[in-house]
Structure formats: C-alpha cells, structure tokens
Amino acid sequence: MGQDVINVKGLTKRYGQQVIVDKLDLTIPKGEIYGLLGPNGAGKSTTILMMMGLVEPTAGSISIHGVDPVSRPMEVKKRVGYLPEDVGFYDDRSGLENLVYTGRLNRLSVQEANRRALALLERVGLKADRAKAVGNYSRGMRQRLGLADVLLKQPEVIILDEPTLGLDPEGLRKFLELIVELSREEGLTVLLSSHHLQQVQQVCDRVGLFVAGKLMAEGDIANLSGKLFPDDPVVVEVVVDRRPPGGALSELLQAIEGVITVTQEEENLRIEADRDIASEVAQVVVNSGAGLCYLKRKDYGLDEIYHRFFKNAG
C-alpha cells in the first residue's frame, strides 16, 4: 500500500432535518480494495456521489489524489472511474461501438479509442462478443462492459456502487476476480460499496461498517474480530481417522495449557482455549498415534462480525 488516495474528513450531508451522511472520516491508501458495507439506505450511494462531485456536501471535506471534487469536479472525473448499479449503454450499438463512443467523449482519437476498447474487451472476457448489440448482453456481460467503460480513461481510482446485483454465481466470480486482478497488477485503488457480506469479504483488504450515515467500525477481518469477540475462546476443530492406541485423546488434549473444554463425538473433536493452541493440538494428536485428517482454527467471518456488531449496537 502507498500514499493515501482518498481522504474524507467530517463529511456530512443533510436534506432539511434529515441527516444522510453524518461526519464521515475515511482514508483509503493507494492500491487498497476498501469495502463500504451497509444496508440499503445507509448513505453509501450519497457518499459516493459527493466523492464524484455530483452532490454537494453540507459540511466536511473530500480529497481524491489531492483534488477537491466540490471545487474541481471535472478533474476528479478524469482520475476516477465510477460504475453504478445500473450501467447505461446504447442497446442498439455493439459493445465495441459503445466503448469507442466513450473514448471519443474522453477526447481520444478514433484510433486510440479503438485500440483501448479492443484491449479492454479482451481483458474483461468480451472479445468474442464485441460486435453483438449490447441489448443482447446478459446482466453479467453488461457489468463487465461497464468495467471496461470505466477503465477506458485509465483512472487511478475506481468506485463501484453495488456492481454485482443480479449477477449469476459464475458471472459474480469472474467479476470479483477481475477487480482483484486490476488492483494487484495495476495498483488501482478500489472503493466497493455493497450490502452483500460474502462478496465484500472475498475481495476487500479492509471493510467499513456503514450504518445510518455513520462509519461505525472499520478494519480487516482479523482486526474487526478482535474488537467484537475479545472474550470469546479460540476454537480448534479436529477430525481423526482412528482412536489412539494408548488412551482417550480428549484427556491428552485437555492437558494442554490454556484448554478450557474438549468435546468429542466419534472422530470429531472441538477444543476451546484461551489462546491459539492449534499447533500444540496437532502435535498431541500425531504423537498419540491417532491419524490426523483435518484441523482448523475457527475464524470469524464477516457475516458473524456484522451480526455481532448489530447485536452489540442494539
């Protein structure tokens, strides 16, 4: 990760007495994929529109690569690619024609617009469909074409607002893989707004939990787990393929320092401890003569983090 690319301080948006975004502070460094996670109506889209210079803030400041989108919106639009939930294209024109048209609007020559469009269609997996009318594209194909459209002007930042709604599982997988690939290979900074927990967890380096216009918590999955589950025991799950010849395995595991409980059902064991004892559990199982088939330390996923957060907040 490099220098900070997005800096938001005290960002607020009110419509009359209704507060949509409430004193938001947000910093995203170069090359990071940041997930803005929250329910519909949380204020995510309004935040993005303010970042793009499309909605004026009530208070606070925004800097994108050092540029203020309020006073210099056109310069921000040159640096930032924005993919909304629904991408608008000319349905009677082909994918290639739509991209070339975007290129011409960005003051590229016909030759350069064609060159970039063809390269991007190949990158997003639409080269074979470049001559097909966009009206005949599937939802997933339209979203990939939208990503190509965003990348045509070679942005430094891409902002994706609920980009995966309506995608089938395979289309979703390819789309998310492409986002990660672009960030890692080209150093693109990505802000992904979504209310889909699993998708955010798959691709994002850090996550911000955004509720009622406020950023309530942020960090990577491990960091958020530490904040929300500080007193929960560490859980190690083990499966063996045979009982040890010399005695009860559960008793041997119970003797490990820090173990709280050991629960055994046939060849499945669950060990709870007050510290990470995964390596010691593995050693005890192997030394006992039991065959170790499976061992996993339970990690909290974003789904559990999200629901624990709202339980605590409630």
Side-chain angles (χ1 to χ4, degrees):
M1 301 297 172
Q3 74 277 15
D4 292 338
V5 170
I6 296 175
N7 274 291
V8 174
K9 292 184 179 179
L11 187 64
T12 302
K13 182 62 183 177
R14 297 189 192 93
Y15 290 105
Q17 296 301 309
Q18 186 177 10
V19 180
I20 307 300
V21 179
D22 191 4
K23 298 172 186 169
L24 173 65
D25 292 331
L26 179 63
T27 301
I28 304 176
K30 179 177 173 59
E32 182 174 73
I33 304 177
Y34 187 96
L36 198 59
L37 177 66
N40 291 331
K44 303 187 300 296
S45 293
T46 301
T47 299
I48 287 170
L49 293 175
M50 287 191 283
M51 288 181 178
M52 293 296 300
L54 299 171
V55 169
E56 190 169 338
T58 304
S61 65
I62 308 167
S63 171
I64 312 286
H65 269 292
V67 179
D68 182 353
V70 176
S71 59
R72 297 156 68 188
M74 292 309 296
E75 190 169 341
V76 166
K77 289 180 178 68
K78 289 177 185 176
R79 293 170 175 258
V80 180
Y82 171 48
L83 182 63
E85 176 185 332
D86 261 327
V87 191
F89 290 111
Y90 293 102
D91 285 350
D92 59 338
R93 301 292 182 89
S94 70
L96 177 60
E97 288 171 328
N98 270 278
L99 292 189
V100 170
Y101 181 68
T102 296
R104 297 293 287 144
L105 289 176
N106 282 275
R107 299 182 179 179
L108 299 178
S109 68
V110 174
Q111 293 80 8
E112 179 64 10
N114 264 286
R115 186 190 69 77
R116 290 192 193 180
L118 287 168
L120 286 166
L121 284 166
E122 182 169 12
R123 185 75 186 268
V124 301
L126 292 175
K127 183 179 179 181
D129 300 291
R130 64 188 181 277
K132 183 187 293 186
V134 173
N136 295 320
Y137 278 21
S138 68
R139 167 74 177 174
M141 292 168 70
R142 289 180 74 94
Q143 288 303 92
R144 282 185 281 145
L145 184 64
L147 188 56
D149 190 79
V150 162
L151 296 170
L152 197 72
K153 61 182 176 181
Q154 299 178 333
E156 299 165 82
V157 178
I158 56 175
I159 297 177
L160 312 173
D161 191 4
E162 299 285 4
T164 60
L165 292 180
L167 296 189
D168 60 66
E170 182 61 15
L172 173 62
R173 182 187 65 79
K174 289 181 178 178
F175 187 86
L176 294 177
E177 284 178 355
L178 187 57
I179 296 302
V180 174
E181 186 180 302
L182 287 165
S183 177
R184 301 297 179 254
E185 293 182 6
E186 301 183 19
L188 277 174
T189 304
V190 181
L191 174 61
L192 170 62
S193 165
S194 180
H195 65 274
H196 290 289
L197 284 73
Q198 187 177 6
Q199 296 166 21
V200 171
Q201 181 167 331
Q202 277 181 263
V203 301
C204 294
D205 301 304
R206 282 192 305 146
V207 175
L209 301 180
F210 199 61
V211 185
K214 292 184 178 182
L215 189 63
M216 309 301 288
E218 69 172 349
D220 58 26
I221 302 300
N223 182 269
L224 288 171
S225 294
K227 290 177 183 177
L228 293 170
F229 301 91
D231 300 321
D232 284 25
V234 176
V235 176
V236 178
E237 297 172 343
V238 175
V239 177
V240 296
D241 65 1
R242 60 182 178 274
R243 300 292 182 90
L249 181 56
S250 60
E251 293 176 9
L252 297 172
L253 293 169
Q254 188 72 60
I256 298 173
E257 183 181 351
V259 169
I260 301 168
T261 62
V262 178
T263 307
Q264 182 169 0
E265 292 184 10
E266 299 297 331
E267 281 73 35
N268 301 309
L269 295 105
R270 175 187 169 94
I271 304 103
E272 295 185 1
D274 59 15
R275 61 185 182 88
D276 185 359
I277 47 130
S279 61
E280 292 164 78
V281 167
Q283 187 174 9
V284 166
V285 172
V286 171
N287 289 345
S288 75
L292 180 59
C293 298
Y294 172 89
L295 184 146
K296 184 179 186 298
R297 189 188 69 190
K298 177 178 171 59
D299 293 315
Y300 291 101
L302 193 52
D303 183 71
E304 291 165 298
I305 290 170
Y306 192 76
H307 288 98
R308 172 67 67 93
F309 172 81
F310 283 107
K311 180 182 177 182
N312 290 351

